[in-house]
Amino acid sequence: MKVAFLGTGLMGLPMAQRLLAANVELIAYNRTPEKLAPLQAAGAEIATKPRQAIRSADCIVLMLSNAAAIYHVLLTDTSWHTLSGRSVIQMGTLTPPESQEIRDAVVAAGGEYIEAPVLGSIPEAETGKLIVMVGGEQEQYQRHLKLLQIFGTDPVYIGPVGSASSLTLALNQLIASLTTSFALSLAFVQMQGIDVDLFMRILRDSKLYAPTFDQNLKRMLDGNYTKANLPTKQLIKEIDLFITEAKSLGLNLSSIEGVRQILQSAMSMSYPEDDYSSVFPAIREWGEASGE
């Protein structure tokens, strides 16, 4: 089987490299051609047009930034007509309606579609330890399982198309909310003169602890948010998708809307490409300024 990988950004590049390491025949396309250089050096075929990659492959893996990018790359007139008889595996973050609409377009072209969004960041993508959540038919899940296991050892079947997208949005909401809550407590403890090591020791021994706290602690204490595992601008995009979908359900969104404001402040204070743990200075420096 030959795989076309469309979208080789921060997450897409290490995922595509995993395919090459597993001796999967690969053709890759990215709208920014410079990002394809590491794959070309590792033996991947490079496509200059999306339709070239699609036409050459049996299976198309999408790791594109949003639904608009998928329409632009996969569902233009020239690309759409090449989908017949091919499998499309969509691995980015979308709302359930977006994923279902793209499925309908792929099926109308004579192809098949499953969603397989992932939980994890660059280190997990590099080591093949992403949590892969699959939406589609059970038979499709079984047929594509071996390929999906290259990205994560135990892909989980969730349900029909849309269900995996929903679960991913719920988990991304937790990423933002947990990190912002931890940053607030850490800033509070520091400004009260309490030893951070003591705070962390008690936290780690409690049922409140989540491993993501330690993953972000060093960045927050060092103030180093470069070489992002998850850029702030990407997390805001995913939170916006969650808010859009949750609003249609009539949920109270006060908490996540507050988190989004803090993320936006972090992005305004630093670079959008910085790690999302930069919510810490957005919280702490606001507190210092308001206390003057």
Side-chain angles (χ1 to χ4, degrees), residues 172-184:
N172 287 336
Q173 188 277 144
L174 270 179
I175 291 172
S177 294
L178 280 173
T179 303
T180 306
S181 292
F182 173 70
L184 179 59

Side-chain angles (χ1 to χ4, degrees), residues 92-94 117-121 133 164-180 230 234-242 256 259 263 276:
T93 304
L94 301 175
V118 298
L119 181 66
S121 54
M133 295 160 280
S165 294
S166 293
L167 185 52
T168 305
L169 293 179
L171 293 166
N172 287 336
Q173 188 277 144
L174 270 179
I175 291 172
S177 294
L178 280 173
T179 303
T180 306
L230 175 60
Q234 177 68 21
L235 186 55
I236 286 181
K237 184 210 82 171
E238 296 182 354
I239 292 308
D240 285 342
L241 294 178
F242 174 85
I256 191 60
V259 167
L263 285 166
Y276 71 105

Side-chain angles (χ1 to χ4, degrees), residues 10 20 22 31 43 47 57 68 104-105 113-114 124 128 133 137 165 191 202 211 216 224 226 235 238 251 287:
L10 286 177
L20 285 173
R31 287 183 293 177
D104 293 346
Y113 173 95
I114 63 171
E124 290 77 25
M133 295 160 280
E137 300 297 328
S165 294
M191 296 174 83
I202 293 170
N216 287 313
N224 182 4
T226 60
L235 186 55
E238 296 182 354
L251 296 174

Side-chain angles (χ1 to χ4, degrees), residues 128-195:
K129 294 181 180 178
L130 292 167
I131 297 174
V132 182
M133 295 160 280
V134 183
E137 300 297 328
Q138 182 83 42
E139 178 273 331
Q140 291 176 305
Y141 164 75
Q142 293 294 343
R143 188 155 36 86
H144 293 94
L145 184 58
K146 188 175 180 181
L147 178 66
L148 294 173
Q149 284 174 330
I150 295 171
F151 305 119
T153 54
D154 189 24
V156 183
Y157 178 69
I158 307 302
V161 170
S163 60
S165 294
S166 293
L167 185 52
T168 305
L169 293 179
L171 293 166
N172 287 336
Q173 188 277 144
L174 270 179
I175 291 172
S177 294
L178 280 173
T179 303
T180 306
S181 292
F182 173 70
L184 179 59
S185 289
L186 179 62
F188 181 82
V189 162
Q190 281 186 326
M191 296 174 83
Q192 292 286 6
I194 298 168
D195 183 70

Side-chain angles (χ1 to χ4, degrees), residues 58-283:
D58 308 293
C59 178
I60 299 102
V61 175
L62 305 179
M63 200 62 188
L64 297 164
S65 57
N66 52 34
I70 293 174
Y71 277 95
H72 180 74
V73 169
L74 189 76
L75 299 175
T76 60
D77 286 342
T78 52
S79 296
W80 183 78
H81 288 294
T82 64
L83 293 176
S84 181
R86 292 170 172 83
S87 299
V88 175
I89 303 177
Q90 197 296 115
M91 303 194 73
T93 304
L94 301 175
T95 65
E98 287 173 336
S99 189
Q100 291 159 351
E101 287 172 9
I102 292 166
R103 172 204 57 196
D104 293 346
V106 170
V107 170
E112 70 163 347
Y113 173 95
I114 63 171
E115 59 181 12
V118 298
L119 181 66
S121 54
I122 294 170
E124 290 77 25
E126 291 173 338
T127 56
K129 294 181 180 178
L130 292 167
I131 297 174
V132 182
M133 295 160 280
V134 183
E137 300 297 328
Q138 182 83 42
E139 178 273 331
Q140 291 176 305
Y141 164 75
Q142 293 294 343
R143 188 155 36 86
H144 293 94
L145 184 58
K146 188 175 180 181
L147 178 66
L148 294 173
Q149 284 174 330
I150 295 171
F151 305 119
T153 54
D154 189 24
V156 183
Y157 178 69
I158 307 302
V161 170
S163 60
S165 294
S166 293
L167 185 52
T168 305
L169 293 179
L171 293 166
N172 287 336
Q173 188 277 144
L174 270 179
I175 291 172
S177 294
L178 280 173
T179 303
T180 306
S181 292
F182 173 70
L184 179 59
S185 289
L186 179 62
F188 181 82
V189 162
Q190 281 186 326
M191 296 174 83
Q192 292 286 6
I194 298 168
D195 183 70
V196 170
D197 289 338
L198 185 60
F199 164 63
M200 291 304 301
R201 191 181 85 191
I202 293 170
L203 179 58
R204 291 186 192 107
D205 288 340
S206 76
K207 292 182 179 179
L208 300 171
Y209 178 71
T212 188
F213 298 158
D214 267 312
Q215 290 171 9
N216 287 313
L217 178 64
K218 189 174 190 310
R219 281 186 182 270
M220 292 178 177
L221 294 180
D222 293 348
N224 182 4
Y225 307 106
T226 60
K227 296 182 180 178
N229 285 332
L230 175 60
T232 306
K233 67 175 184 180
Q234 177 68 21
L235 186 55
I236 286 181
K237 184 210 82 171
E238 296 182 354
I239 292 308
D240 285 342
L241 294 178
F242 174 85
I243 290 172
T244 296
E245 191 64 16
K247 192 172 290 184
S248 70
L249 301 174
L251 296 174
N252 186 329
L253 301 177
S254 301
S255 60
I256 191 60
E257 286 172 344
V259 167
R260 193 201 180 285
Q261 288 179 0
I262 295 169
L263 285 166
Q264 189 63 53
S265 295
M267 201 157 72
S268 300
M269 288 172 59
S270 59
Y271 295 103
E273 291 79 14
D274 277 358
D275 193 78
Y276 71 105
S277 55
S278 59
V279 294
F280 180 65
I283 288 170

